[in-house]
Amino acid sequence: MLTRVRPTILSVLRNEDLKEMLESNKESLKLEAMKRVVGLIAKGKNASELFPAVVKNVANKNIELKKLVYVYLVRYAEEQQDLALLSISTFQRALKDPNQFIRASALRVLSSIRVPIIVPIMMLAIKESAADMSPYVRKTSAHAIQKLYSLDPDQKEQLIEVIEKLLKDKSTLVAGSVVMAFEEVCPDRIDLIHKNYRKLCNLLVDVEEWGQVVIISMLTRYARTQFISPWKESGDATSFSQSLSEKKDQMEAKTYIMDPDHRLLLRNTKPLLQSRNTAVVMSVAQLYWHLAPKHEVTIVTKSLVRLLRSHREVQYIVLQNIATMSIQRKGMFEPFMKSFYVRSTDSTHIKTLKLEILTNLANEANISTILREFQTYVKSQDKAFAAATIQAIGRCATNISEVTDTCLNGLVLLLSNRDETVVAESVVVIKKLLQTQPTQHSEIIKHMAKLFDNITVPMARASILWLMGEYCERVPKIAPDVLRKMAKTFTAEEDIVKLQIVNLAAKLYLTNSKQTKLLTQYILNLGKYDQNYDIRDRTRFIRQLIVPSEKSGALNKYARRILLAPKPAPVLESAFKDRDRYQLGTLSHSLNTKASGYQELSDWPAVAPDQSVRNVEVIEPVRNLPSSPTSYHRYNSYMPDSTVTQRCYSKSGSESEEESSEESEKTSSDSGKSSSGSEQESSSESESQQKKKKKTKKAPQKKSKPAAADRYSEIPPVRWTLRASFFFPVNLACPDVTTPSFGPVKTYELLHHMTGKGLSAKYHFPRQPCLYQPSMVAVQVVLTNSSDHSLEEIHIGDRNPASLNLHCFNTIERLEPEASVTVSMGIDFSDSTQAANFQLCTKDDQFSVSIQPAVGELFMPITMTEQDFSKEQGKLLGMNETSETIAMATANTSSQAISKQVLSVANVGVVSSTQNDIHRFAGRTVSSGALVLVSLEMKESSSALLTINTEKSVMASMLLRDLKQALAQA
Amino acid sequence: MIHSLFLINHSGDIFLEKHWKSVIGRSVCDYFFEAKEKAVQPENVPPVLQTPHHYLISVYRDKLFFLSVVQTEVPPLFVIEFLHRVADTVQDYFGECSEGVIKDNVVTVYELLEEMLDNGFPLATESNVLKEMIRPPTILRSVVNTLTGGSNVGDTLPTGQLSSIPWRRAGVKYTNNEAYFDVIEEIDAILDKSGTTVFAEIQGVIEACVRLTGMPDLTLSFMNPRLLDDMSFHPCVRFKRWESERILSFIPPDGNFTLMTYHVSSQNVVALPVYVKQNISFLETGSCGRLDITIGPKQTMGKTVEGLTVTVHMPKTVLSANLTATQGNYTYNLATKVLVWDIGKLNPQKLPNLRGSLSLQAGAPRPEENPALDITLKIQQLAISGLKVSRLDMYGEKYKPFKGVKYLTKAGKFQVRT
């Protein structure tokens, strides 16, 4: 009692007290007061009177107090607009704060204050924050866009501009929020997505889980407008048809080629099926359902079934979606049928949905199992569920003709059940079943007539009466007797039963007027004075129709044909039959009505729109990447006409023009900077290396230039962030992987022309990102025919181990004598130096060859700042650190020389350094994307401390060995 | 997306409300109360409801309704998942999720809700990030706070959200470095009258409690990863590594978390640890019935079955039960009609048995169906699927942590039809 009384007494005094506390000088009192105020808000009490006292504290230093004031402000600003304006300047000031969190929270509160006057201020703040250095602030600005839009929709155009800008953002933090803003403000501006499509696909796995849901659903809509249907050539997109057309599909599949972007989306969403977030799993499932070729949709089954282990509410939604899916694709869920078995502890709506799915899954093969299961359910104590089961049995019976009789017999047995609802439901279902095949079942009708007296549920009684009337000629003796009984109880019956009595009477009058004429007239008279106007109405109508008189017109003659017309049997079908008009996983699908704001999923276009719109030509550098001033060069150097020879980190000035420009393509900006002294170095390069290079030089250059230009216009570098393993968000702190820094190319022999019967092969690592799969290392192979006859059909045969992930080159149809050709391959070494063994085949011969990579080739370079480097290094200590003091050759003391030696061993990037005696290099392993950090600290007397930080400790020790060797020799 | 949240207790009082956009009146909940009336059992309230202007999406947990109001199309699972996260967070902060606890900490809960959503879109849901912003209450801190006027709100702003590993808070320090992993498997099964298995499967979960200093990078490998058929991971797990090497490689969050859940491939026959012999019958005359249940060990891999209980939801007409148990105690709740037989340890030499008579309401018809038996049990130090952790390695830090793996098998939804 005490606790209840106290607040009422207090509330009178409270506001005054609180005001005093808020205006006091003591911080703790203010805080206490604010806590109470927020407590009031939480309980839904009105605390708006305190607004002036609270708003004064908006600039308080105490963070908790400040936050509570913010909470209050957002809640009541709408009601106290004038006073709220007092606080605006505080936020404006905070927007300029050096601390990103303070900027973000200021924007958050400012945009939550729903006061129309400050719209221009909000707009300005949003625009500024959208260009903020911190991705966190940019994320907040994406949220603010939606708030401003709901406050003032007139700002739409300006907001779209901001959205367009934010969509280009490469931070995983921003992606989800900006897509959310896009969905809210301008979901129809699909053109804004084109350029960002591939980036979004690639970022997806690293975006936070809530953002993933939003992006996936947006991309589903996008894909349906941009790609052609993978299902059929010209397709009715929404309806999967039955097995017949599936065969046709397979035939047509040959002619259909999926857009690589379409495939990209499917590939990048697949790992998200393993997410712990049920909403993410569901959204991937719906994406596959709506976008994937039919045979691929099955991969979502297992994950959906897994969700059934989750909370009851999750089960409910998932089961609804499975119910819709199982109508069209039985095969998907049939193997998991037992997961849908009902437990007595399930809640009613779960039970009903499971029943629905089991019924959808029923076919000739499993029907006996399902019916046995249904038998248990019929006996359930939950009578509503038992009734639903009976309906399900009815549906199975109509759908599968083999079991119709069995079901019917089973249902007849249920007629003697003690529970009314069960009996009633059985009657209703039997009625429907009998309609489908009325011929042989007069026995059942008789049985039902006998039971009639014991059945009290109106619907069931009405059903039996209807059956009597409909088939009165089959039970000529019983029907009139039933009518007689009914005439006695007419007045006590429910309306629905009365209508059927009138109906029965009319039908009997027409077929057997001798026995029933008087009864009918009696019933019609009763009906005439009934309280219900429907019944009066029906009686009047029936009387006019069947009883001949002068007034009754031509209809009279047709009475028999009207009343006893053969009626089509009802179709028992699923309640989820037409749910597929809504996108799966949506609220609309769940409610089976269109929710406000529901975006229709469009049909596939007949002809694919221009694919090139998604091509990204020049990638803007990430805003706060330290290398940004120079990174433009990186891309410029891909231009075919660029003359950058002098800039390249060339090891030999005498190389041809062609080669050096090729190298310049690979030159990262960093190595470009440090290359000033490289010309002199070149002379000291070993003779043998030069020779090797000359051998190989021709082939790669032929195509490298244009190919590289094309490639890079298509594949944005963000792809490489994917490397960092799927669930591992790569953030701004982690730098982008850059194009390879240049290092001298070593060529290795793959096949000698003696053993190869004239075919010789050499390979080298071009140190370029592999085109085929990011986890592969690119390898270029130069095939030369040293024999005197031409070789045909050169291709790659068996590989060992068979699981070796290898991208073969296209078969070379013919290689003339003395000719050579360069081909590119991709090999996934899985970050190990284990050799890749495979067979190189010609038309007549097979040669086993193997490629063993040096450990340094399993990396790719990345750029990072010195700060980032130290930060990452700090995370990779202990087991992940390998270090050794090594001896340095005297020639190798200049920084150029060190860079050259290190780069010759390993494909890593130079990290620009402010300290002269420390040299840093950074890279990632190609396969797993693990960070590899190399640092070399010069000590006195030509020794140095070499440290390698990576989680791949085996690779680290191998790299250490190689580097040690390289640095020790001049 | 999510417009407002109302917390409603078992008896239908709204005790907390939070709006992320403009305020929506409480009257919107009337539609929910209507549905709640209709549903009788709180579990049966439909999770998604439509009202003329709003949509109500609710979850029922720990005898509380978390009711959210949305105005436009949104994936319902998105909201449901979020609401469960809210409940999880409350549980995580205060040890339990109940009306009393939320009322006692109403300001903290309100602050948490404020941080979790911005404009209805989830902002920070990782427990590690939240804990940095709003510290969970401890007795010591609340004493200190009242004395000094300090606060629960962190004065350093969280860095977790900006780092590449948002689930781990920065600057973790422990004097004792420990990592514990609990492999918990649940057997879901339906047995029919004769004791034949209608359906059985094993679901597992690995719960972790990791208290390690700094930024440890852990790898966990299994002796027999092939057993695992379908799984879901905490976001910290590097999925690619799992795909290629079947190794769990991750930088763990600090504290308790669920590392992965899995499903054991259905090809393997599930070993059921116990068998049940039962006979429940209701006599046609005399309004009474007989009950006889015996439980024995089946495949227990040499381990003892503990915590054995049998729960029977009796038909409404059963008035009382007069039974004798050879082991353990039984209770019959007259109001809910639930019979619970708490057996405890299963002794293979002397099988526990419960028998006796049931008395029924006079004149009531004989119950149609025999009630199903729900069985719970526990087996320590055993993962029934045979899954074994082979090793746990730590990289990135120099100290030697204490590592432990515990196995536990439980009965999940283990039901015997009679």
Side-chain angles (χ1 to χ4, degrees):
Chain A
M1 275 309 279
L2 256 176
T3 48
R4 288 222 178 144
V5 174
R6 265 176 60 207
T8 51
I9 299 169
L10 275 178
S11 62
V12 186
L13 302 169
R14 181 173 271 160
N15 281 352
E16 285 310 308
D17 285 350
L18 288 175
K19 213 176 266 179
E20 216 166 274
M21 285 164 83
L22 283 167
E23 278 161 5
S24 80
N25 289 328
K26 267 191 163 175
E27 205 103 299
S28 56
L29 271 183
K30 283 184 180 180
L31 191 60
E32 184 57 37
M34 254 347 269
K35 280 187 176 171
R36 286 205 202 165
V37 172
V38 169
L40 286 178
I41 296 176
K43 285 185 200 118
K45 303 242 165 67
N46 188 3
S48 60
E49 273 178 41
L50 294 164
F51 202 97
V54 173
V55 83
K56 277 178 204 161
N57 292 308
V58 75
N60 197 292
K61 287 276 182 309
N62 184 318
I63 286 194
E64 183 167 27
L65 183 62
K66 194 150 65 177
K67 273 193 180 172
L68 294 175
V69 173
Y70 286 179
V71 166
Y72 182 91
L73 204 58
V74 171
R75 170 70 179 77
Y76 286 112
E78 214 170 358
E79 295 172 25
Q80 309 256 356
Q81 306 210 347
D82 292 341
L83 285 170
L85 292 179
L86 294 176
S87 63
I88 302 298
S89 63
T90 319
F91 299 121
Q92 280 179 304
R93 220 174 309 128
L95 280 170
K96 302 265 185 301
D97 198 281
N99 184 327
Q100 49 177 335
F101 284 100
I102 293 180
R103 290 202 300 277
S105 82
L107 179 64
R108 219 182 125 188
V109 182
L110 181 69
S111 55
S112 301
I113 295 176
R114 285 170 293 273
V115 179
I117 284 182
I118 62 162
V119 164
I121 299 177
M122 270 157 101
M123 193 70 223
L124 204 68
I126 289 173
K127 278 185 180 163
E128 264 177 33
S129 309
D132 199 283
M133 290 280 282
S134 152
Y136 185 70
V137 177
R138 298 204 295 276
K139 182 190 177 78
T140 320
S141 80
H143 288 205
I145 291 173
Q146 304 161 50
K147 298 182 204 165
L148 181 55
Y149 180 66
S150 66
L151 184 66
D152 182 7
D154 292 342
Q155 305 293 322
K156 187 170 174 178
E157 286 314 310
Q158 287 196 60
L159 288 174
I160 291 176
E161 275 169 37
V162 185
I163 289 175
E164 193 175 356
K165 198 166 149 200
L166 282 173
L167 275 171
K168 292 193 186 122
D169 206 298
K170 288 192 187 65
S171 165
T172 51
L173 214 54
V174 184
S177 301
V178 69
V179 170
M180 187 65 224
F182 170 84
E183 290 283 78
E184 206 129 295
V185 179
C186 52
D188 45 343
R189 286 292 301 276
I190 217 98
D191 56 300
L192 296 181
I193 303 300
H194 292 320
K195 293 272 181 232
N196 302 298
Y197 173 82
R198 288 177 194 157
K199 183 197 70 188
L200 284 173
C201 287
N202 286 325
L203 284 184
L204 194 57
V205 278
D206 295 328
V207 173
E208 38 86 34
E209 41 196 359
W210 309 107
Q212 284 170 349
V213 179
V214 178
I215 297 178
I216 291 173
S217 97
M218 188 275 289
L219 289 178
T220 311
R221 263 192 320 117
Y222 177 85
R224 280 291 277 261
T225 62
Q226 298 300 318
F227 307 126
I228 51 167
S229 165
W231 302 331
K232 293 179 214 164
E233 218 150 49
S234 61
D236 168 14
T238 41
S239 77
F240 283 96
S241 20
Q242 302 310 312
S243 54
L244 260 180
S245 64
E246 244 160 69
K247 265 184 204 157
K248 215 169 92 193
D249 270 353
Q250 282 163 4
M251 278 164 57
E252 279 165 3
K254 281 170 198 156
T255 57
Y256 167 78
I257 296 161
M258 188 183 273
D259 188 306
D261 288 326
H262 190 171
R263 175 53 66 202
L264 177 75
L265 177 61
L266 293 176
R267 195 175 56 223
N268 284 359
T269 46
K270 194 178 156 203
L272 297 178
L273 283 173
Q274 257 63 52
S275 171
R276 65 164 171 177
N277 189 317
T278 57
V280 175
V281 178
M282 186 67 230
S283 68
V284 178
Q286 68 83 23
L287 180 131
Y288 264 78
W289 177 257
H290 290 296
L291 298 181
K294 285 179 188 176
H295 57 94
E296 287 178 41
V297 180
T298 37
I299 66 160
V300 307
T301 313
K302 242 187 223 172
S303 307
L304 284 179
V305 173
R306 183 185 74 227
L307 298 190
L308 298 179
R309 286 275 303 170
S310 190
H311 299 284
R312 184 180 50 251
E313 295 85 7
V314 175
Q315 284 181 38
Y316 175 73
I317 305 289
V318 174
L319 285 171
Q320 278 186 331
N321 284 293
I322 292 180
T324 303
M325 293 165 110
S326 62
I327 292 175
Q328 292 172 5
R329 301 284 304 274
K330 276 184 197 196
M332 255 176 93
F333 294 96
E334 216 199 307
F336 297 89
M337 193 173 80
K338 289 188 171 172
S339 303
F340 303 108
Y341 280 6
V342 173
R343 292 158 204 280
S344 56
T345 41
D346 286 336
S347 68
T348 308
H349 48 249
I350 302 277
K351 282 182 189 163
T352 328
L353 282 168
K354 282 185 173 174
L355 199 60
E356 175 72 41
I357 293 167
L358 284 176
T359 317
N360 291 340
L361 293 181
N363 59 24
E364 284 84 356
N366 60 23
I367 184 68
S368 56
T369 330
I370 289 185
L371 281 181
R372 207 175 315 131
E373 190 63 20
F374 281 180
Q375 273 175 15
T376 349
Y377 302 164
V378 167
K379 286 187 266 167
S380 163
Q381 293 178 29
D382 182 346
K383 289 306 164 195
F385 173 56
T389 310
I390 293 166
Q391 279 184 2
I393 295 175
R395 261 179 63 201
C396 291
T398 46
N399 295 343
I400 300 160
S401 50
E402 281 92 334
V403 293
T404 312
D405 287 340
T406 329
C407 290
L408 207 49
N409 289 338
L411 289 171
V412 170
L413 285 180
L414 287 177
L415 288 177
S416 43
N417 193 293
R418 237 176 290 116
D419 191 87
E420 230 166 52
T421 38
V422 172
V423 177
E425 204 61 47
S426 313
V427 170
V428 176
V429 173
I430 289 175
K431 179 199 121 187
K432 287 182 183 162
L433 283 182
L434 287 185
Q435 259 183 289
T436 55
Q437 35 180 204
T439 40
Q440 339 76 326
H441 298 301
S442 55
E443 278 307 311
I444 294 175
I445 300 176
K446 278 179 200 161
H447 184 72
M448 285 166 85
K450 273 181 215 158
L451 287 169
F452 188 73
D453 290 341
N454 298 327
I455 295 172
T456 54
V457 176
M459 188 61 205
R461 285 175 79 87
S463 291
I464 296 181
L465 289 175
W466 185 88
L467 272 176
M468 292 286 159
E470 193 61 25
Y471 306 113
C472 53
E473 279 158 301
R474 279 180 226 284
V475 282
K477 285 186 185 154
I478 295 167
D481 194 49
V482 171
L483 187 66
R484 180 184 60 78
K485 279 194 208 162
M486 292 323 294
K488 273 201 263 180
T489 58
F490 184 86
T491 44
E493 298 289 349
E494 289 277 329
D495 293 344
I496 181 177
V497 185
K498 283 178 182 169
L499 285 174
Q500 287 309 326
I501 298 173
V502 174
N503 205 349
L504 173 65
K507 283 174 181 167
L508 281 175
Y509 184 88
L510 290 174
T511 54
N512 188 1
S513 63
K514 228 190 249 172
Q515 275 184 303
T516 57
K517 192 172 178 182
L518 285 172
L519 271 173
T520 306
Q521 271 171 355
Y522 175 67
I523 287 167
L524 289 178
N525 279 335
L526 285 174
K528 191 177 173 184
Y529 298 107
D530 198 90
Q531 284 186 320
N532 185 304
Y533 51 77
D534 270 345
I535 294 167
R536 295 200 298 274
D537 220 31
R538 176 74 62 88
T539 315
R540 215 172 299 135
F541 162 69
I542 294 283
R543 191 191 290 275
Q544 291 303 317
L545 190 61
I546 58 170
V547 184
S549 66
E550 311 96 64
K551 266 190 272 174
S552 59
L555 267 183
N556 204 322
K557 283 178 230 159
Y558 302 106
R560 196 187 165 89
R561 277 168 69 184
I562 291 171
L563 282 174
L564 291 167
K567 296 166 183 75
V571 186
L572 299 174
E573 57 186 22
S574 164
F576 284 80
K577 182 106 174 85
D578 51 357
R579 287 238 181 153
D580 59 351
R581 58 204 155 125
Y582 299 111
Q583 190 177 350
L584 288 186
T586 59
L587 184 62
S588 304
H589 176 266
S590 193
L591 291 166
N592 202 17
T593 50
K594 199 166 172 176
S596 66
Y598 173 73
Q599 300 271 332
E600 205 80 49
L601 203 58
S602 72
D603 279 353
W604 298 100
V607 183
D610 187 13
Q611 301 180 6
S612 63
V613 289
R614 283 182 293 275
N615 289 352
V616 187
E617 267 111 45
V618 175
I619 299 99
E620 279 178 43
V622 181
R623 221 182 320 272
N624 54 355
L625 210 71
S627 63
S628 53
T630 48
S631 59
Y632 270 117
H633 295 295
R634 195 155 98 209
Y635 299 101
N636 287 341
S637 66
Y638 293 124
M639 298 303 161
D641 58 345
S642 67
T643 47
V644 279
T645 341
Q646 73 279 17
R647 221 166 46 75
C648 80
Y649 184 68
S650 171
K651 72 280 169 203
S652 160
S654 61
E655 293 286 352
S656 70
E657 181 79 17
E658 268 184 347
E659 178 161 352
S660 41
S661 67
E662 185 230 340
E663 283 154 10
S664 74
E665 283 170 27
K666 293 183 279 175
T667 308
S668 83
S669 52
D670 294 302
S671 52
K673 263 193 283 177
S674 62
S675 66
S676 51
S678 64
E679 241 94 346
Q680 301 113 357
E681 293 291 329
S682 60
S683 55
S684 66
E685 191 125 279
S686 73
E687 286 289 308
S688 63
Q689 242 180 357
Q690 273 196 4
K691 264 185 211 158
K692 270 184 195 164
K693 250 166 258 145
K694 269 181 189 151
K695 273 184 206 158
T696 58
K697 79 179 182 198
K698 268 181 208 157
Q701 290 130 24
K702 270 178 209 156
K703 52 181 187 175
S704 63
K705 238 193 297 178
D710 285 348
R711 273 201 307 275
Y712 283 91
S713 65
E714 274 171 23
I715 306 168
V718 281
R719 152 168 301 200
W720 301 105
T721 59
L722 241 192
R723 290 290 175 76
S725 94
F726 275 117
F727 279 162
F728 192 97
V730 173
N731 221 294
L732 275 195
C734 299
D736 274 5
V737 172
T738 62
T739 44
S741 37
F742 174 72
V745 177
K746 283 181 197 150
T747 307
Y748 309 90
E749 185 140 77
L750 186 62
L751 182 65
H752 192 262
H753 67 90
M754 295 300 281
T755 43
K757 298 187 183 168
L759 177 69
S760 73
K762 293 192 163 60
Y763 69 93
H764 67 272
F765 297 96
R767 296 196 171 177
Q768 284 171 340
C770 181
L771 297 179
Y772 313 112
Q773 269 178 34
S775 62
M776 285 180 170
V777 177
V779 181
Q780 283 192 339
V781 181
V782 185
L783 299 163
T784 314
N785 185 355
S786 333
S787 67
D788 50 359
H789 56 275
S790 59
L791 296 166
E792 288 177 350
E793 287 179 31
I794 305 173
H795 63 278
I796 286 176
D798 294 341
R799 48 196 85 167
N800 176 33
S803 62
L804 178 69
N805 192 0
L806 184 127
H807 191 284
C808 311
F809 53 84
N810 292 336
T811 303
I812 295 161
E813 293 302 338
R814 197 178 174 84
L815 192 61
E816 296 299 335
E818 294 307 313
S820 67
V821 63
T822 305
V823 290
S824 312
M825 296 172 59
I827 302 174
D828 189 348
F829 288 106
S830 311
D831 290 349
S832 91
T833 51
Q834 207 167 24
N837 300 313
F838 55 91
Q839 284 185 325
L840 198 61
C841 310
T842 63
K843 196 180 179 188
D844 313 306
D845 297 297
Q846 296 176 340
F847 312 105
S848 293
V849 294
S850 79
I851 293 182
Q852 182 162 33
V855 66
E857 304 297 344
L858 301 178
F859 305 127
M860 57 190 164
I862 53 175
T863 50
M864 26 167 63
T865 56
E866 206 174 337
Q867 294 90 324
D868 284 340
F869 186 93
S870 321
K871 205 171 110 199
E872 294 299 328
Q873 197 175 27
K875 292 181 196 161
L876 291 166
L877 296 174
M879 285 283 286
N880 296 341
E881 186 173 274
T882 317
S883 66
E884 197 178 330
T885 307
I886 57 166
M888 299 279 285
T890 40
N892 287 337
T893 44
S894 72
S895 65
Q896 284 87 7
I898 289 172
S899 300
K900 198 190 77 177
Q901 289 297 352
V902 172
L903 295 186
S904 74
V905 170
N907 187 15
V908 290
V910 183
V911 177
S912 56
S913 170
T914 49
Q915 292 151 287
N916 271 332
D917 51 347
I918 302 183
H919 303 274
R920 299 189 174 87
F921 304 89
R924 283 190 183 286
T925 62
V926 171
S927 213
S928 65
L931 214 53
V932 179
L933 306 171
V934 180
S935 54
L936 190 68
E937 194 179 345
M938 302 301 288
K939 297 267 170 66
E940 66 285 356
S941 71
S942 66
S943 72
L945 179 68
L946 180 63
T947 312
I948 298 173
N949 299 76
T950 177
E951 54 190 49
K952 299 274 177 187
S953 47
V954 180
M955 294 178 87
S957 59
M958 291 202 295
L959 181 61
L960 188 83
R961 194 191 57 208
D962 289 0
L963 285 174
K964 187 176 158 188
Q965 204 176 3
L967 290 166
Q969 63 186 225
Chain B
M1 292 198 126
I2 300 171
H3 207 112
S4 303
L5 173 72
F6 294 96
L7 297 192
I8 299 167
N9 68 11
H10 201 56
S11 50
D13 300 325
I14 303 170
F15 64 93
L16 190 142
E17 63 179 74
K18 168 93 185 106
H19 308 274
W20 284 275
K21 301 183 183 183
S22 49
V23 179
I24 293 179
R26 286 184 168 205
S27 56
V28 75
C29 299
D30 293 347
Y31 296 98
F32 174 77
F33 294 134
E34 212 172 281
K36 185 169 168 271
E37 280 305 305
K38 221 186 277 172
V40 188
Q41 299 278 323
E43 287 88 359
N44 288 344
V45 183
V48 184
L49 289 170
Q50 189 178 14
T51 78
H53 301 291
H54 303 97
Y55 305 97
L56 307 178
I57 300 179
S58 62
V59 304
Y60 179 67
R61 243 180 89 164
D62 305 311
K63 303 211 167 141
L64 297 178
F65 286 101
F66 293 74
L67 174 72
S68 69
V69 184
V70 298
Q71 271 186 320
T72 51
E73 172 65 53
V74 59
L77 268 187
F78 185 97
V79 183
I80 288 170
E81 177 83 24
F82 176 78
L83 294 176
H84 278 294
R85 285 291 166 87
V86 172
D88 289 340
T89 309
V90 172
Q91 170 96 38
D92 188 30
Y93 260 72
F94 311 112
E96 61 167 327
C97 180
S98 69
E99 189 187 353
V101 146
I102 294 174
K103 275 185 171 168
D104 289 346
N105 298 288
V106 69
V107 176
T108 315
V109 173
Y110 207 80
E111 283 170 339
L112 280 172
L113 291 174
E114 180 74 25
E115 292 300 338
M116 289 178 86
L117 283 185
D118 180 19
N119 196 37
F121 190 80
L123 192 64
T125 47
E126 280 301 333
S127 143
N128 267 245
V129 172
L130 285 172
K131 279 185 176 164
E132 256 182 288
M133 289 196 274
I134 299 154
R135 296 201 199 101
T138 59
I139 294 169
L140 181 69
R141 192 172 301 129
S142 59
V143 170
V144 171
N145 284 353
T146 40
L147 291 177
T148 61
S151 73
N152 283 332
V153 173
D155 36 9
T156 49
L157 294 150
T159 47
Q161 235 171 357
L162 293 179
S163 79
S164 52
I165 33 175
W167 53 84
R168 186 171 178 87
R169 64 191 180 93
V172 184
K173 267 207 181 100
Y174 288 104
T175 39
N176 293 325
N177 290 296
E178 322 162 300
Y180 298 106
F181 294 87
D182 291 3
V183 180
I184 302 166
E185 296 195 336
E186 292 194 355
I187 307 168
D188 286 358
I190 302 177
L191 306 186
D192 74 359
K193 233 179 207 149
S194 56
T196 345
T197 314
V198 179
F199 164 73
E201 62 177 15
I202 299 173
Q203 310 278 353
V205 57
I206 302 184
E207 298 281 358
C209 174
V210 177
R211 298 168 185 283
L212 296 175
T213 308
M215 274 289 164
D217 194 337
L218 305 179
T219 56
L220 184 79
S221 54
F222 299 102
M223 307 271 262
N224 37 12
R226 280 212 191 141
L227 278 175
L228 308 180
D229 182 33
D230 178 56
M231 48 262 141
S232 72
F233 300 110
H234 190 276
C236 69
V237 175
R238 297 177 179 117
F239 182 67
K240 241 194 148 180
R241 191 90 192 269
W242 170 260
E243 274 217 315
S244 58
E245 302 168 58
R246 299 269 140 182
I247 284 176
L248 292 175
S249 156
F250 56 98
I251 295 175
D254 183 43
N256 296 321
F257 66 102
T258 303
L259 181 62
M260 78 182 287
T261 62
Y262 60 87
H263 177 259
V264 174
S265 83
S266 42
Q267 275 84 21
N268 299 27
V269 180
V270 176
L272 296 180
V274 293
Y275 69 85
V276 180
K277 267 195 210 158
Q278 44 74 31
N279 182 22
I280 301 177
S281 58
F282 296 105
L283 302 180
E284 198 64 67
T285 52
S287 62
C288 68
R290 302 206 57 77
L291 179 142
D292 188 343
I293 306 172
T294 311
I295 296 191
K298 209 172 173 184
Q299 282 159 294
T300 59
M301 323 278 172
K303 300 273 200 290
T304 14
V305 178
E306 300 168 27
L308 197 58
T309 65
V310 179
T311 310
V312 193
H313 290 263
M314 287 291 181
K316 297 267 176 292
T317 49
V318 176
L319 283 182
S320 67
N322 183 15
L323 309 166
T324 40
T326 58
Q327 187 188 338
N329 308 313
Y330 80 92
T331 51
Y332 183 62
N333 186 328
L334 295 176
T336 55
K337 310 281 181 196
V338 177
L339 173 78
V340 181
W341 177 27
D342 188 347
I343 301 166
K345 248 183 209 167
L346 180 66
N347 181 358
Q349 269 74 51
K350 193 166 162 277
L351 300 182
N353 170 274
L354 179 74
R355 76 170 78 189
S357 63
L358 306 166
S359 63
L360 276 72
Q361 206 172 322
R366 188 170 71 102
E368 197 83 24
E369 183 201 29
N370 288 340
L373 317 180
D374 287 305
I375 294 179
T376 60
L377 55 87
K378 255 193 244 175
I379 306 172
Q380 304 278 3
Q381 293 311 322
L382 173 74
I384 196 90
S385 69
L387 186 77
K388 276 234 157 64
V389 172
S390 85
R391 56 183 298 143
L392 174 73
D393 298 302
M394 186 182 76
Y395 305 100
E397 296 290 337
K398 289 202 170 105
Y399 54 82
K400 265 211 141 133
F402 185 81
K403 302 177 277 196
V405 179
K406 208 167 79 183
Y407 299 92
L408 178 66
T409 296
K410 290 201 284 193
K413 297 171 183 164
F414 197 111
Q415 198 161 71
V416 184
R417 293 176 177 168
T418 59

